[in-house]
Amino acid sequence: MARMTCKCGEVLSNTLAPNDIQLRVFTDKEWDDIINIGQIDTLDLPDPKVDVWRCPKCKRMYFFEDGNDKAALIYRLEE
Ligand SMILES: [Zn+2]
């Protein structure tokens, strides 16, 4: 996943590092497992299981799972 067009028309890309599109999201349990492995080295942090992208324009959020290019879930801002 490197580039896609949001349903609102905004082009989203994670090619810039860092960027404001891709979110690093862990569940509390996943995070607990990570920090309990031992000493934390930020370079050794695993990638999140779910890849989450947020559109800066309409705030839609896209959840990609298992390396799929097609979003498994799409959330649109309600309020
Ligand atoms: Zn959008």
Side-chain angles (χ1 to χ4, degrees), residues 5-69:
T5 302
C6 180
K7 287 176 179 279
C8 75
E10 184 82 354
V11 174
L12 309 180
S13 170
N14 69 347
T15 53
L16 284 179
N19 65 75
D20 286 322
I21 301 299
Q22 197 169 21
L23 308 182
R24 306 278 177 189
V25 178
F26 297 95
T27 67
D28 188 57
K29 183 177 183 315
E30 287 168 347
W31 186 249
D32 199 58
D33 290 343
I34 290 167
I35 63 174
N36 283 329
I37 288 173
Q39 209 170 23
I40 297 177
D41 182 338
T42 54
L43 294 176
D44 287 338
L45 284 177
D47 286 334
K49 290 178 181 171
V50 180
D51 196 16
V52 181
W53 285 32
R54 181 180 59 192
C55 175
K57 187 175 172 187
C58 71
K59 311 300 183 195
R60 270 191 184 85
M61 295 182 63
Y62 295 84
F63 286 62
F64 301 94
E65 296 178 348
D66 303 322
N68 287 328
D69 283 350

